[in-house]
């Protein structure tokens, strides 16, 4: 399928154009024992907004009063009319983004009940943002006697992100007599990388949106690369007998690049039990006249590493513009954040016990749950005096009960 949209914005000179596509292809063997699928989707979006940003423009519209100067007699715009002046001079913010998502999957059932599946997915995303504020003048009175030059600049930002997800699973289901058994084992890996760069110059000498037209003395360049990955082994066993007794055990071993190799892995098991009491012979009268009754309980551990920075386990360095003065000239200095090699997973321990019951021949259902959760090793930012001269990474120090 293909899609196209082009819509003008509420503000003059703004618009949004988008082209998208999607394709899903599936193939199966004649005996349905093997399959493969390919899913593709993507889009290109081209968005134009005002030179100083749509939010700033709308804020100024709300702030402008009945006596605010929009345009003077000499044709120059006032402070609240500078957005229209930028539009006429070629000032604008332009963002172009492209995304491509692809996933291929394959599976086979070599024997009845046993399924082996694998998949590989990738997402590519690129965004370029060009902001150009033209060197126009604004006026402070209707006659244009008081003129102020707008702080002009051009800033270009480019960001590229690539991620991949790989997964392999094997599952088996079997029913024999009154027993139901299902088993799942698998492994997965996720990798993510982002590269970002920026270039800027101020004091534009012309109305051409080019870095070469800016003052070289104001040139600012910056870039950053971030990368992270996780790898997991997991499994699950489900068993039930006669639709009365239920047992489930799940476990996973997760590894993250956000921690040192010595402690980047953690084991998170969980178990749940259920008893459908109303299916017992001694509960037949209750089952026929009242309804269903089930008792259940569970306990498990879950890990979290979302709040951990990609490189918090090591000391990182950077530069600080205008950190101090030297001979009357501001110069940049060194800044750093001290790493924490002891960082580890945040762990949540959850216990739940409950009762599910129905009454009036299953016309009314009631559920009761008791829930307790204790989260340990929560990340907290240490408090250090301002004279310390550096930042410190978060520490696993918090505990929360709920």
């Amino acid at each position: 399928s293909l899609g196209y949209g082009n819509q003008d914005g509420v503000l003059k000179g703004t618009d949004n154009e988008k082209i998208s596509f999607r394709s899903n292809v599936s193939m199966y063997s004649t005996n349905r024992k093997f399959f493969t699928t390919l899913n593709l989707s993507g889009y290109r979006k081209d968005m134009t907004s005002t030179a100083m940003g749509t939010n700033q423009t709308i804020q100024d519209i709300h702030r402008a009063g009945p006596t605010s100067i929009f345009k003077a007699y000499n044709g120059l715009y006032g402070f609240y009319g500078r957005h229209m002046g930028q539009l006429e001079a070629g000032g604008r913010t332009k963002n172009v983004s492209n995304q491509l998502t692809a996933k291929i999957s394959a599976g086979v059932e070599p024997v009845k009940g046993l399924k082996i599946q694998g998949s590989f997915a990738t997402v590519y995303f690129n965004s370029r943002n060009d902001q150009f504020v033209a060197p126009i003048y604004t006026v402070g009175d209707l006659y244009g006697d008081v003129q102020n030059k707008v702080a002009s600049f051009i800033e270009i930002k480019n960001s590229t992100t690539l991620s991949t997800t790989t997964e392999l699973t094997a599952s088996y289901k079997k029913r024999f007599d009154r027993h139901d058994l299902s088993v799942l084992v698998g492994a997965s890996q996720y990798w993510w990388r982002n590269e970002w760069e920026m270039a800027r110059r101020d004091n534009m000498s012309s109305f051409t949106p080019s870095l070469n037209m800016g003052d070289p003395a104001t040139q600012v360049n910056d870039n950053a690369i971030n990368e992270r990955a996780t790898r997991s082994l997991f499994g699950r066993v489900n068993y039930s007998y006669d639709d009365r007794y239920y047992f489930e055990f799940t476990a996973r071993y997760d590894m993250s690049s956000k921690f040192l190799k010595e402690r980047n892995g953690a084991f998170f098991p969980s178990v749940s039990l259920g008893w459908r009491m109303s299916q017992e012979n001694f509960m037949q009268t209750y089952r026929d006249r009242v309804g269903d009754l089930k008792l259940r309980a569970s306990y498990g551990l879950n890990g979290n590493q979302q709040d951990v920075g990609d490189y918090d386990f090591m000391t990182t360095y950077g530069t600080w513009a205008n950190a101090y003065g030297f001979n009357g000239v501001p110069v940049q200095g060194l800044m750093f954040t001290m790493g924490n090699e002891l960082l580890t997973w945040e762990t949540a321990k959850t216990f739940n016990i409950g009762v599910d019951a129905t009454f009036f021949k299953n016309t009314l259902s009631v559920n009761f749950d008791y829930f307790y959760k204790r989260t340990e090793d929560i990340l907290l930012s240490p408090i250090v005096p301002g004279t310390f001269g550096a930042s410190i990474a978060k520490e696993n120090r918090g505990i929360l009960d709920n």
Side-chain angles (χ1 to χ4, degrees), residues 44-210:
R44 176 182 175 86
K45 184 166 65 174
D46 191 333
M47 185 171 62
T48 303
S49 57
T50 59
M52 299 176 183
T54 302
N55 291 339
Q56 182 64 56
T57 304
I58 294 177
Q59 288 178 9
D60 287 344
I61 292 174
H62 287 292
R63 290 171 180 170
T67 60
S68 299
I69 300 173
F70 182 79
K71 192 174 185 179
Y73 295 135
N74 61 357
L76 295 179
Y77 289 93
F79 177 82
Y80 290 107
R82 69 191 190 282
H83 303 288
M84 184 60 68
Q86 286 291 334
L87 178 62
E88 295 178 355
R92 46 77 179 129
T93 300
K94 191 174 185 65
N95 179 271
V96 178
S97 57
N98 300 276
Q99 178 169 305
L100 176 64
T101 302
K103 181 178 181 179
I104 184 170
S105 305
V108 62
E109 187 176 358
V111 296
K112 185 177 180 180
L114 176 62
K115 294 183 179 180
I116 302 174
Q117 300 183 33
S119 65
F120 175 81
T122 183
V123 179
Y124 170 84
F125 177 78
N126 174 263
S127 175
R128 174 176 170 129
N129 192 84
D130 293 24
Q131 184 178 8
F132 173 57
V133 177
I136 66 172
Y137 285 86
T138 60
V139 297
D141 62 277
L142 283 173
Y143 298 95
D145 296 331
V146 179
Q147 298 184 6
N148 301 292
K149 189 174 184 180
V150 172
S152 59
F153 67 88
I154 183 171
E155 183 176 271
I156 301 174
K157 296 179 180 179
N158 188 74
S159 178
T160 301
T161 302
L162 179 65
S163 66
T164 61
T165 303
T166 307
E167 187 173 275
L168 178 65
T169 62
S171 62
Y172 179 75
K173 291 183 179 181
K174 179 69 174 180
R175 180 179 178 87
F176 47 97
D177 296 331
R178 299 181 180 182
H179 305 271
D180 284 284
L181 176 67
S182 65
V183 180
L184 171 72
V185 294
S188 65
Q189 178 173 290
Y190 174 75
W191 174 81
W192 179 92
R193 175 187 170 93
N194 173 263
E195 185 168 353
W196 173 88
E197 55 268 342
M198 182 273 287
R200 173 178 172 137
R201 284 189 180 185
D202 296 342
N203 303 329
M204 304 300 294
S205 60
S206 75
F207 296 99
T208 303
S210 170

Side-chain angles (χ1 to χ4, degrees), residues 247-251 269-273 297-301 350-352:
F247 169 80
E248 179 179 282
F249 176 77
T250 63
S270 64
V271 61
S272 63
L273 301 171
S298 64
Y299 177 78
L301 279 67
T350 305
F351 172 75
N352 176 257

Side-chain angles (χ1 to χ4, degrees), residues 9-10 42 62 68 84 106-107 110 124 143 184-185 195 245 248 262 284 289 304 311 323 337 347 368 381 386:
V10 176
H62 287 292
S68 299
M84 184 60 68
Y124 170 84
Y143 298 95
L184 171 72
V185 294
E195 185 168 353
Y245 310 112
E248 179 179 282
E262 292 80 3
Q284 182 175 354
R289 297 182 179 181
N304 178 37
Y311 308 105
T337 299
T347 304
F368 171 81
S381 299

